Amino acid sequence: MKEPSHTNFEVLLSTIENALKQRLKSSASHSENTSAHKKLLEAMSYSVLGAGKRLRPLLCCATSIDLNSTYTTVLPAACALEFIHAYSLIHDDLPSMDNDKLRRGKPTCHIAFGEAAAILAGDALQALAFEILANAESINSSTRIHLVQILARAAGSVGMVGGQCFDMQATNTVIGLSALEQLHSEKTGALISAAVNMGAICAGADQNCLNTLDAFARKLGLAFQVVDDILDETQSTEVLGKQAGADRKLGKNTFPSLMGLEQAQNYAVKLEKECFDLLSQLGLRDGYLAALVTRIIHRAS
Ligand code: GRG
């Protein structure tokens, strides 16, 4: 399916990329720049810049644009989301987690910089995300507090980290479909929902719109993960930029392992339609979010 002609993701992506670079640079400008600081910043920048689909910042900006606000207002929130995501990838790749050696087409952070530096780079990125939100001058102070609450909850023990714990516990055991959906609603879905909700709150969305977008984001988060699991089984390491077949090798529960590849593909298409239906309810069927749904569900990596 083609993206609507008015959705210029390339402009958005380069704006997001520049904003990420700028935030990383200014995070270092207060430090004394010892060789330790330099190495830390290098590890942080290595993991954030140059690759990655930027889905979470795009979702945040797209929501804001679709609700007739400007994406420049939400750029700090978009950067904060990507920094949390980058931190989660660094820690997820560690030997004590998934022990991955390849990420975004290059050696993982701990392979390139050592395990201790990778842990610290992840920690610093997480802190930087909240610093950026707290300092976001384009957003009024009560909204900023609301954004901090949303992001903290999504990243923490009832969100991404909680889902990761659940995932580790479930590895090498078979769990049912509803447990798998619960696991991923925390591990991957929470940050995706936060991206949409943060964009909507910055745009001043009313409660009905917030509720509908929240339901939309939950379906999209699930669809993202179903496709991620399918790609892990069907794509090459080269295309993915990370080890293909890693889920199976690690004994992870996945949608294709529970329902079969074809059913998982059908499920992704069903979720895509449900996402579009929810967007239609808000008159947003032809906007940036709808184009992103297509990008996410029909992606190659
Ligand atoms: C605190 C030690 C410690 C560990 C926590 C937070 C965490 C580890 C793990 C979170 C789990 C996690 C990494 C979820 C994301 C899963 C996922 C499919 C990521 C890939 O996202 P994409 O495809 O990646 O958007 P790009 O590279 O395009 O940004």
Side-chain angles (χ1 to χ4, degrees):
M1 205 184 297
K2 265 181 65 200
E3 279 165 4
S5 55
H6 63 279
T7 49
N8 193 342
F9 281 117
E10 296 321 309
V11 171
L12 258 185
L13 277 167
S14 84
T15 308
I16 289 166
E17 204 63 33
N18 285 336
L20 292 169
K21 216 175 281 174
Q22 189 53 46
R23 307 279 166 179
L24 280 165
K25 204 170 141 199
S26 56
S27 81
S29 65
H30 304 296
S31 78
E32 292 182 25
N33 279 330
T34 63
S35 67
H37 288 115
K38 280 186 187 136
K39 184 178 173 191
L40 181 60
L41 183 67
E42 211 187 314
M44 292 160 73
S45 303
Y46 174 87
S47 297
V48 173
L49 301 177
K53 297 182 289 297
R54 314 294 185 218
L55 294 177
R56 295 144 192 87
L58 281 175
L59 280 167
C60 184
C61 293
T63 308
S64 183
I65 295 169
D66 278 356
L67 299 179
N68 301 318
S69 186
T70 95
Y71 66 83
T72 46
T73 310
V74 297
L75 268 180
C79 290
L81 284 154
E82 187 66 16
F83 287 144
I84 292 286
H85 174 57
Y87 128 71
S88 83
L89 297 180
I90 296 172
H91 282 197
D92 192 46
D93 290 336
L94 288 170
S96 56
M97 300 275 164
D98 284 357
N99 195 18
D100 276 314
K101 296 185 172 43
L102 192 69
R103 168 72 67 182
R104 293 178 164 176
K106 57 189 185 183
T108 46
C109 190
H110 68 274
I111 296 291
F113 293 88
E115 193 173 344
I119 292 170
L120 296 172
D123 291 342
L125 283 170
Q126 178 169 212
L128 179 59
F130 289 105
E131 184 184 348
I132 288 169
L133 276 186
N135 290 337
E137 282 173 6
S138 57
I139 302 167
N140 74 53
S141 51
S142 66
T143 305
R144 272 186 239 172
I145 292 171
H146 198 172
L147 297 183
V148 167
Q149 288 166 336
I150 292 173
L151 190 60
R153 198 165 171 82
S157 62
V158 293
M160 189 176 72
V161 173
Q164 176 79 352
C165 276
F166 191 175
D167 191 16
M168 290 172 66
Q169 205 179 53
T171 297
N172 290 319
T173 66
V174 177
I175 60 173
L177 191 57
S178 70
L180 187 63
E181 292 196 354
Q182 176 61 32
L183 187 164
H184 285 304
S185 75
E186 294 177 12
K187 182 179 158 181
T188 339
L191 205 55
I192 288 175
S193 290
V196 172
N197 288 330
M198 287 163 81
I201 282 162
C202 287
D206 64 26
Q207 198 55 51
N208 172 58
C209 180
L210 287 173
N211 293 346
T212 307
L213 282 177
D214 188 57
F216 157 79
R218 284 168 192 269
K219 297 224 180 265
L220 183 62
L222 187 53
F224 167 88
Q225 190 60 49
V226 174
V227 173
D228 198 73
D229 288 359
I230 293 170
L231 293 174
D232 183 71
E233 293 225 346
T234 56
Q235 280 291 18
S236 66
T237 298
E238 200 184 12
V239 171
L240 291 177
K242 61 183 179 182
Q243 184 60 52
D247 293 339
R248 195 176 283 272
K249 201 167 140 217
L250 288 167
K252 301 264 185 190
N253 289 276
T254 68
F255 290 93
S257 75
L258 281 188
M259 52 170 61
L261 193 56
E262 201 182 324
Q263 279 305 312
Q265 279 157 342
N266 293 340
Y267 192 31
V269 171
K270 178 175 173 278
L271 289 165
E272 177 184 32
K273 185 182 174 310
E274 290 172 2
C275 284
F276 287 146
D277 288 347
L278 285 160
L279 288 178
S280 295
Q281 285 179 29
L282 296 170
L284 302 179
R285 179 61 185 84
D286 297 318
Y288 274 74
L289 277 175
L292 264 180
V293 170
T294 304
R295 272 202 166 205
I296 287 171
I297 295 187
H298 300 280
R299 71 193 195 271
S301 66

